[in-house]
Short mmCIF file of all heavy atoms in Angstrom, two decimals:
data_model
loop_
_atom_site.label_atom_id
_atom_site.label_comp_id
_atom_site.label_asym_id
_atom_site.label_seq_id
_atom_site.Cartn_x
_atom_site.Cartn_y
_atom_site.Cartn_z
N LEU I 1 43.88 129.86 179.93
CA LEU I 1 43.02 129.80 178.69
C LEU I 1 42.01 130.93 178.59
O LEU I 1 41.20 130.96 177.80
CB LEU I 1 42.23 128.48 178.68
CG LEU I 1 43.00 127.20 178.49
CD1 LEU I 1 42.17 125.93 178.51
CD2 LEU I 1 43.81 127.33 177.23
N MET I 2 42.27 132.01 179.39
CA MET I 2 41.34 133.14 179.38
C MET I 2 41.32 133.78 177.89
O MET I 2 40.24 134.11 177.47
CB MET I 2 41.77 134.21 180.29
CG MET I 2 40.81 135.41 180.43
SD MET I 2 41.26 136.44 181.75
CE MET I 2 39.81 137.66 181.71
N GLY I 3 42.39 133.81 177.23
CA GLY I 3 42.47 134.36 175.85
C GLY I 3 41.97 133.27 174.81
O GLY I 3 41.22 133.57 173.93
N THR I 4 42.41 132.05 175.06
CA THR I 4 42.14 130.94 173.98
C THR I 4 40.69 130.47 174.09
O THR I 4 40.04 130.44 173.07
CB THR I 4 43.08 129.77 174.33
OG1 THR I 4 44.40 130.18 174.21
CG2 THR I 4 42.81 128.70 173.31
N ALA I 5 40.20 130.03 175.26
CA ALA I 5 38.85 129.42 175.35
C ALA I 5 37.78 130.45 175.24
O ALA I 5 36.60 130.22 175.18
CB ALA I 5 38.78 128.68 176.63
N SER I 6 38.18 131.74 175.28
CA SER I 6 37.15 132.84 175.13
C SER I 6 36.82 132.92 173.56
O SER I 6 35.85 133.65 173.19
CB SER I 6 37.68 134.19 175.64
OG SER I 6 38.85 134.54 174.87
N GLY I 7 37.63 132.31 172.76
CA GLY I 7 37.19 132.19 171.33
C GLY I 7 37.42 133.50 170.53
O GLY I 7 36.77 133.62 169.50
N THR I 8 38.33 134.30 170.90
CA THR I 8 38.48 135.61 170.21
C THR I 8 38.87 135.35 168.80
O THR I 8 38.31 136.03 167.81
CB THR I 8 39.54 136.50 170.87
OG1 THR I 8 40.78 135.69 171.11
CG2 THR I 8 39.08 136.95 172.32
N GLN I 9 39.88 134.42 168.49
CA GLN I 9 40.28 134.20 167.16
C GLN I 9 39.27 133.24 166.46
O GLN I 9 38.87 133.38 165.24
CB GLN I 9 41.75 133.62 167.17
CG GLN I 9 42.75 134.65 167.44
CD GLN I 9 44.10 134.06 167.38
OE1 GLN I 9 44.36 133.10 168.21
NE2 GLN I 9 45.00 134.59 166.65
N THR I 10 38.81 132.28 167.16
CA THR I 10 37.84 131.28 166.57
C THR I 10 36.55 132.03 166.10
O THR I 10 36.09 131.76 165.00
CB THR I 10 37.39 130.25 167.58
OG1 THR I 10 38.60 129.46 167.90
CG2 THR I 10 36.37 129.28 167.04
N MET I 11 36.10 132.98 166.93
CA MET I 11 34.84 133.68 166.51
C MET I 11 35.09 134.61 165.39
O MET I 11 34.22 134.79 164.52
CB MET I 11 34.27 134.40 167.73
CG MET I 11 33.76 133.47 168.81
SD MET I 11 32.54 132.28 168.20
CE MET I 11 31.27 133.36 167.72
N ALA I 12 36.31 135.19 165.35
CA ALA I 12 36.65 136.08 164.24
C ALA I 12 36.62 135.30 162.91
O ALA I 12 36.06 135.75 161.89
CB ALA I 12 37.98 136.80 164.37
N VAL I 13 37.16 134.06 162.98
CA VAL I 13 37.18 133.16 161.72
C VAL I 13 35.83 132.83 161.39
O VAL I 13 35.38 132.94 160.19
CB VAL I 13 37.98 131.91 162.01
CG1 VAL I 13 37.81 130.93 160.89
CG2 VAL I 13 39.52 132.30 162.17
N ASN I 14 34.95 132.41 162.32
CA ASN I 14 33.52 131.96 162.03
C ASN I 14 32.71 133.13 161.47
O ASN I 14 31.92 132.98 160.52
CB ASN I 14 32.88 131.45 163.26
CG ASN I 14 33.54 130.12 163.72
OD1 ASN I 14 34.42 129.59 163.08
ND2 ASN I 14 33.14 129.63 164.90
N ILE I 15 32.80 134.29 162.15
CA ILE I 15 32.03 135.42 161.72
C ILE I 15 32.49 135.92 160.28
O ILE I 15 31.61 136.28 159.37
CB ILE I 15 32.08 136.58 162.62
CG1 ILE I 15 31.41 136.16 163.98
CG2 ILE I 15 31.49 137.86 162.10
CD1 ILE I 15 31.64 137.20 165.12
N ALA I 16 33.77 135.90 160.01
CA ALA I 16 34.27 136.23 158.67
C ALA I 16 33.71 135.32 157.65
O ALA I 16 33.38 135.68 156.50
CB ALA I 16 35.74 136.25 158.66
N ASN I 17 33.67 134.02 157.90
CA ASN I 17 33.19 133.03 156.96
C ASN I 17 31.68 133.28 156.71
O ASN I 17 31.18 133.16 155.57
CB ASN I 17 33.38 131.56 157.59
CG ASN I 17 34.69 131.06 157.07
OD1 ASN I 17 35.27 131.48 156.16
ND2 ASN I 17 35.21 130.09 157.87
N THR I 18 30.95 133.64 157.79
CA THR I 18 29.50 133.91 157.57
C THR I 18 29.36 135.14 156.60
O THR I 18 28.53 135.07 155.70
CB THR I 18 28.82 134.32 158.89
OG1 THR I 18 28.98 133.12 159.78
CG2 THR I 18 27.41 134.68 158.75
N GLN I 19 30.14 136.14 156.79
CA GLN I 19 30.02 137.29 155.85
C GLN I 19 30.39 136.86 154.40
O GLN I 19 29.72 137.32 153.45
CB GLN I 19 30.87 138.37 156.34
CG GLN I 19 30.78 139.74 155.52
CD GLN I 19 29.38 140.19 155.35
OE1 GLN I 19 28.48 139.75 156.17
NE2 GLN I 19 29.02 141.04 154.39
N LEU I 20 31.49 136.11 154.19
CA LEU I 20 31.84 135.65 152.88
C LEU I 20 30.71 134.81 152.26
O LEU I 20 30.49 134.88 151.14
CB LEU I 20 33.25 134.87 152.96
CG LEU I 20 34.37 135.78 153.23
CD1 LEU I 20 35.62 134.88 153.46
CD2 LEU I 20 34.74 136.76 152.11
N ASP I 21 30.11 133.92 153.12
CA ASP I 21 28.96 133.15 152.64
C ASP I 21 27.86 133.99 152.16
O ASP I 21 27.19 133.72 151.17
CB ASP I 21 28.53 132.17 153.73
CG ASP I 21 29.48 131.12 154.09
OD1 ASP I 21 30.33 130.76 153.21
OD2 ASP I 21 29.33 130.47 155.15
N THR I 22 27.64 135.12 152.86
CA THR I 22 26.53 136.03 152.56
C THR I 22 26.78 136.64 151.18
O THR I 22 25.95 136.72 150.34
CB THR I 22 26.39 137.06 153.63
OG1 THR I 22 26.02 136.41 154.90
CG2 THR I 22 25.33 138.08 153.30
N ILE I 23 27.99 137.12 150.96
CA ILE I 23 28.37 137.77 149.75
C ILE I 23 28.28 136.65 148.61
O ILE I 23 27.70 137.05 147.50
CB ILE I 23 29.82 138.27 149.75
CG1 ILE I 23 30.00 139.35 150.74
CG2 ILE I 23 30.27 138.82 148.38
CD1 ILE I 23 29.09 140.63 150.54
N ASP I 24 28.72 135.44 148.80
CA ASP I 24 28.65 134.44 147.70
C ASP I 24 27.26 134.13 147.37
O ASP I 24 26.84 133.92 146.28
CB ASP I 24 29.45 133.21 148.22
CG ASP I 24 30.95 133.23 148.10
OD1 ASP I 24 31.43 134.35 147.54
OD2 ASP I 24 31.65 132.45 148.63
N SER I 25 26.44 134.07 148.48
CA SER I 25 24.94 133.71 148.28
C SER I 25 24.33 134.88 147.44
O SER I 25 23.44 134.63 146.59
CB SER I 25 24.30 133.55 149.56
OG SER I 25 22.87 133.43 149.41
N HIS I 26 24.69 136.09 147.68
CA HIS I 26 24.09 137.23 146.99
C HIS I 26 24.37 137.19 145.53
O HIS I 26 23.52 137.51 144.67
CB HIS I 26 24.36 138.52 147.68
CG HIS I 26 23.84 139.80 146.86
ND1 HIS I 26 22.55 140.02 146.94
CD2 HIS I 26 24.52 140.65 146.08
CE1 HIS I 26 22.30 141.12 146.18
NE2 HIS I 26 23.50 141.50 145.64
N GLY I 27 25.67 136.78 145.27
CA GLY I 27 26.08 136.80 143.86
C GLY I 27 25.87 135.60 143.08
O GLY I 27 26.12 135.56 141.83
N SER I 28 25.33 134.54 143.69
CA SER I 28 25.24 133.27 143.06
C SER I 28 24.12 133.14 142.16
O SER I 28 23.10 133.87 142.18
CB SER I 28 25.10 132.14 144.07
OG SER I 28 24.84 130.93 143.48
N VAL I 29 24.22 132.26 141.12
CA VAL I 29 23.17 131.90 140.11
C VAL I 29 22.07 131.31 140.79
O VAL I 29 20.92 131.26 140.26
CB VAL I 29 23.63 131.11 139.03
CG1 VAL I 29 24.80 131.78 138.17
CG2 VAL I 29 24.15 129.75 139.53
N LEU I 30 22.19 130.82 142.06
CA LEU I 30 21.10 130.18 142.72
C LEU I 30 20.09 131.19 143.29
O LEU I 30 18.93 130.72 143.77
CB LEU I 30 21.73 129.30 144.00
CG LEU I 30 22.57 128.19 143.58
CD1 LEU I 30 23.20 127.55 144.91
CD2 LEU I 30 21.91 127.14 142.72
N VAL I 31 20.39 132.46 143.27
CA VAL I 31 19.43 133.39 143.87
C VAL I 31 18.19 133.58 143.02
O VAL I 31 17.13 134.06 143.52
CB VAL I 31 20.06 134.79 144.08
CG1 VAL I 31 21.20 134.68 145.16
CG2 VAL I 31 20.64 135.37 142.85
N GLY I 32 18.29 133.19 141.84
CA GLY I 32 17.06 133.26 140.87
C GLY I 32 17.09 134.45 140.04
O GLY I 32 16.25 134.49 139.09
N HIS I 33 17.92 135.42 140.21
CA HIS I 33 18.02 136.60 139.30
C HIS I 33 19.41 136.81 138.86
O HIS I 33 20.34 136.70 139.66
CB HIS I 33 17.48 137.91 139.92
CG HIS I 33 18.23 138.42 141.07
ND1 HIS I 33 17.98 137.98 142.35
CD2 HIS I 33 19.34 139.24 141.12
CE1 HIS I 33 18.88 138.55 143.16
NE2 HIS I 33 19.70 139.29 142.42
N ALA I 34 19.54 137.11 137.58
CA ALA I 34 20.91 137.29 136.96
C ALA I 34 21.24 138.72 137.24
O ALA I 34 20.48 139.55 137.36
CB ALA I 34 20.91 136.96 135.56
N HIS I 35 22.67 138.95 137.17
CA HIS I 35 23.12 140.33 137.35
C HIS I 35 23.37 141.00 135.99
O HIS I 35 24.34 141.73 135.76
CB HIS I 35 24.43 140.34 138.07
CG HIS I 35 24.21 139.91 139.57
ND1 HIS I 35 23.84 140.77 140.54
CD2 HIS I 35 24.28 138.61 140.09
CE1 HIS I 35 23.76 140.10 141.71
NE2 HIS I 35 24.05 138.75 141.48
N ASP I 36 22.41 140.85 135.10
CA ASP I 36 22.46 141.43 133.77
C ASP I 36 21.52 142.56 133.55
O ASP I 36 21.46 143.22 132.45
CB ASP I 36 22.30 140.42 132.68
CG ASP I 36 21.07 139.59 132.83
OD1 ASP I 36 20.19 139.95 133.71
OD2 ASP I 36 20.75 138.66 132.05
N ARG I 37 20.67 142.86 134.53
CA ARG I 37 19.71 143.97 134.47
C ARG I 37 20.36 145.28 135.03
O ARG I 37 20.82 145.28 136.15
CB ARG I 37 18.44 143.65 135.31
CG ARG I 37 17.46 144.75 135.35
CD ARG I 37 16.30 144.31 136.13
NE ARG I 37 15.45 145.28 136.50
CZ ARG I 37 14.32 145.22 137.29
NH1 ARG I 37 13.96 143.95 137.75
NH2 ARG I 37 13.56 146.22 137.61
N LYS I 38 20.55 146.23 134.12
CA LYS I 38 21.22 147.42 134.50
C LYS I 38 20.51 148.25 135.56
O LYS I 38 19.27 148.38 135.52
CB LYS I 38 21.42 148.31 133.21
CG LYS I 38 22.34 149.55 133.45
CD LYS I 38 22.57 150.28 132.20
CE LYS I 38 23.52 151.44 132.43
NZ LYS I 38 23.80 152.20 131.18
N GLY I 39 21.27 148.64 136.54
CA GLY I 39 20.65 149.47 137.63
C GLY I 39 21.15 148.99 138.95
O GLY I 39 22.01 148.04 139.11
N ALA I 40 20.61 149.64 140.03
CA ALA I 40 21.09 149.46 141.33
C ALA I 40 20.16 148.43 142.10
O ALA I 40 19.07 148.24 141.65
CB ALA I 40 21.18 150.69 142.14
N ASP I 41 20.71 147.82 143.20
CA ASP I 41 19.94 147.02 144.03
C ASP I 41 20.16 147.27 145.46
O ASP I 41 21.21 147.89 145.82
CB ASP I 41 20.03 145.52 143.74
CG ASP I 41 21.44 145.03 144.13
OD1 ASP I 41 22.34 145.75 144.54
OD2 ASP I 41 21.62 143.80 144.04
N LEU I 42 19.34 147.03 146.31
CA LEU I 42 19.46 147.16 147.77
C LEU I 42 19.03 145.87 148.32
O LEU I 42 17.95 145.32 148.06
CB LEU I 42 18.63 148.33 148.26
CG LEU I 42 18.62 148.62 149.76
CD1 LEU I 42 20.05 149.10 150.23
CD2 LEU I 42 17.59 149.66 150.24
N TRP I 43 19.84 145.31 149.31
CA TRP I 43 19.56 144.01 149.83
C TRP I 43 19.92 143.92 151.34
O TRP I 43 20.73 144.69 151.88
CB TRP I 43 20.19 142.91 149.05
CG TRP I 43 21.76 143.03 149.00
CD1 TRP I 43 22.45 143.80 148.06
CD2 TRP I 43 22.69 142.34 149.74
NE1 TRP I 43 23.75 143.56 148.26
CE2 TRP I 43 23.96 142.72 149.28
CE3 TRP I 43 22.65 141.48 150.76
CZ2 TRP I 43 25.18 142.31 149.88
CZ3 TRP I 43 23.78 141.02 151.35
CH2 TRP I 43 25.01 141.41 150.86
N ILE I 44 19.24 142.99 151.99
CA ILE I 44 19.48 142.69 153.43
C ILE I 44 19.50 141.31 153.67
O ILE I 44 18.79 140.51 153.00
CB ILE I 44 18.41 143.48 154.25
CG1 ILE I 44 18.78 143.33 155.76
CG2 ILE I 44 17.02 142.98 153.93
CD1 ILE I 44 17.90 144.24 156.52
N ASP I 45 20.37 140.82 154.56
CA ASP I 45 20.52 139.47 155.02
C ASP I 45 20.52 139.44 156.47
O ASP I 45 21.33 140.10 157.14
CB ASP I 45 21.78 138.89 154.29
CG ASP I 45 22.04 137.34 154.69
OD1 ASP I 45 22.21 137.17 155.90
OD2 ASP I 45 21.97 136.51 153.80
N VAL I 46 19.69 138.56 157.05
CA VAL I 46 19.60 138.46 158.54
C VAL I 46 19.93 137.00 158.84
O VAL I 46 19.37 136.07 158.26
CB VAL I 46 18.29 138.87 159.09
CG1 VAL I 46 18.23 138.66 160.56
CG2 VAL I 46 17.89 140.29 158.66
N ASN I 47 20.81 136.74 159.75
CA ASN I 47 21.19 135.39 160.04
C ASN I 47 21.33 135.09 161.57
O ASN I 47 21.70 136.06 162.30
CB ASN I 47 22.47 135.00 159.37
CG ASN I 47 23.62 135.78 159.75
OD1 ASN I 47 24.22 135.63 160.78
ND2 ASN I 47 24.04 136.79 158.90
#
């Protein structure tokens, strides 16, 4: 189980989901600001 129980694939799945959650959260209507204001933004997410 050196390869399996070390979680190489499991952790890749979990980390990828975290990043997709972050993208969805940034673009969601729940963030409080709509994406209709012309211009650039800079953002950071720490988890």
Side-chain angles (χ1 to χ4, degrees):
L1 293 179
M2 186 172 184
T4 301
S6 61
T8 53
Q9 288 179 303
T10 296
M11 293 306 295
V13 171
N14 293 355
I15 293 169
N17 273 336
T18 297
Q19 183 56 19
L20 289 172
D21 288 341
T22 298
I23 298 295
D24 286 350
S25 175
H26 176 70
S28 174
V29 296
L30 298 175
V31 296
H33 65 270
H35 293 273
D36 55 4
R37 175 178 167 182
K38 187 174 182 179
D41 69 354
L42 180 65
W43 58 276
I44 185 171
D45 181 290
V46 180
N47 62 76

